[in-house]
Structures are given as C-alpha cells and as structure tokens.
Amino acid sequence: MAGTEVEAGRRLPRSFYDRRPDVVARDLLGALVESRTDDGVVRVRLVEVEAYAGESDAASHAWRGPTPRTRVMYGPPGRSYVYFSYGMHWCLNLVCEGEGRASAVLLRAGEVLEGVDAVRARRGPRPPDRRLASGPANLAVALGVDGAWDGLSVVARGSALRVLEGAPVGDADVVAGPRVGITRAVGTPWRFHVADNPCVSGPRRAGG
DNA sequence: TGCATGATGTTCT
DNA sequence: GAACATCATGCAC
C-alpha cells in the first residue's frame, strides 16, 4: 500500500550489483535512491525498473560494442550510467556485473518519500504527487541527476547518489513484462514493476 | 481514457 | 541522415 512507512536501511553493497541485470533489477524494487544536492536530500522508493544485458541484448546501447557514451557500462558494477535521450531528457541507470560486461538497470519510476519540496522546485507545480518521479526522465529530474552524474559510484561512502535497502517487495507484488520504448528484443520480459502502484509509468499489466 | 504528435539534439551508420 | 531506453499536450470518443 502507498504511504507505508519505510525505514532507510543500509547502503546496498557493490556485490549486490555484481549479478545478472534482470536479477538486480527485480531486487531493486522497493530499494531507496537518495540524492544530495544544493536543494537538499531527495529520497525515492523504486517501483519500476528495466534490465539491459549489454552486447548480447539488441535493445541495449552497448549492443554494437563499446562507444564513448557506453564506456561506463563496461566498468565496475555499482556506478551510474546517465545518458541523454531524445534531445531533451536525462535517464539514470545502475551498472551491473563485472568489468567487460556492459549490463545495467534503467531506473524508470519511483515514489518520492522525502524532499518533495526540492522535487517540486525542479518539476513545477503541475504534476500530481504520484507523477513526480514517474518515468525515467522524470525520475532523473526529481533526483537532480543530469550528465554530470555519469560514472558516479553509488556504493562509495559519502557519494551524492546512494541506494539504500528498503522493505523487500514479494514475488506476488512483482509484475514482469516487455520493456518500454524499444524496437528490438521486444520479447524479453525485463521490465519489472510493483503491482497496482500509482507511481508506475506506462502499461501496468504484463501481457499488454 | 487513449492515441497521435511535436519538441529537440546526441550518437552512430 | 536516421534512429532514438521520452514527455506533455491536444483532440477524438
């Protein structure tokens, strides 16, 4: 249920990210992403994510091999990969698996638990609360993340961007389905979201 | 409630 | 030069 009080757990360790991206993605549901900027602390509970496997995944930016843009994805796990989308939007990923494997998890939507004022300052007065961090570009804005945050460690002490353990989401509350906004590898069900959560962007059912 | 569309610029062919 | 891991708006129903 929305409004559940979630205690902030400890930072997720680097080993958490050193696994297959689909496993990391599913386990990130319910985790808390925290950013610190001049505007203050913003904390968001993840409710929607997508996994991208790298060179074996035709929908991944790294499908055709390393490029300057995708360099961070080939590095160690537990770092941010931030890219510029459609000439307007920034999107935030977390790098998975060991060096040489370009897998990552796209953070698509969350529920703002703390720092609503800071988020409103960035998003404006129009969106209702449930939409403040709904959609990958909106989530990035809510957290104050842009290209300058690319390659940042989320597992280092004192980082401006951290991921904290949250209340786990049980399998009964996880919906898996096709990823959003892609044209290749559309059959891979690597989008995961919390069932019946109003902050989820896009389709809310698995099959379609 | 749901779909079509314009805004806008980087990346890679 | 085409494609693109998006969003908000406007209009039809």
Side-chain angles (χ1 to χ4, degrees):
Chain A
M1 281 292 151
T4 303
E5 212 168 295
V6 182
E7 60 181 88
R10 56 183 172 280
R11 187 163 26 99
L12 293 174
R14 177 170 149 149
S15 59
F16 176 90
Y17 303 94
D18 195 3
R19 300 178 294 162
R20 288 171 50 108
D22 52 324
V23 176
V24 174
R26 185 254 172 270
D27 285 353
L28 276 172
L29 291 178
L32 312 178
V33 181
E34 183 185 273
S35 71
R36 286 181 311 162
T37 68
D38 292 342
D39 298 332
V41 173
V42 171
R43 189 176 292 166
V44 165
R45 172 177 176 259
L46 291 177
V47 300
E48 181 185 356
V49 294
E50 283 177 359
Y52 288 86
E55 295 186 5
S56 63
D57 180 359
S60 169
H61 287 168
W63 181 42
R64 295 177 189 274
T67 67
R69 179 173 64 156
T70 61
R71 194 186 75 258
V72 171
M73 278 201 285
Y74 285 84
R79 298 226 276 229
S80 61
Y81 164 54
V82 181
Y83 70 91
F84 197 51
S85 179
Y86 291 95
M88 281 164 279
H89 306 298
W90 296 102
C91 296
L92 171 62
N93 297 250
L94 299 177
V95 174
C96 301
E97 295 187 296
E99 298 199 35
R101 286 176 172 263
S103 64
V105 173
L106 172 66
L107 308 186
R108 288 195 56 91
E111 171 182 356
V112 179
L113 301 182
E114 189 180 326
V116 175
D117 292 344
V119 176
R120 284 253 170 241
R122 300 195 270 251
R123 297 259 5 242
R126 312 194 46 127
D129 282 353
R130 68 179 185 284
R131 307 269 288 198
L132 283 176
S134 180
N138 290 333
L139 176 60
V141 171
L143 291 169
V145 166
D146 62 18
W149 297 59
D150 187 37
L152 210 62
S153 172
V154 300
V155 296
R157 267 178 61 86
S159 176
L161 186 65
R162 305 195 303 162
V163 184
L164 311 174
E165 192 175 303
V169 177
D171 287 342
D173 292 321
V174 174
V175 180
R179 291 170 291 184
V180 173
I182 57 168
T183 56
R184 292 184 290 263
V186 292
T188 304
W190 276 4
R191 172 177 178 249
F192 304 93
H193 66 85
V194 177
D196 298 323
N197 188 288
C199 303
V200 169
S201 74
R204 300 233 196 124
R205 297 179 69 100

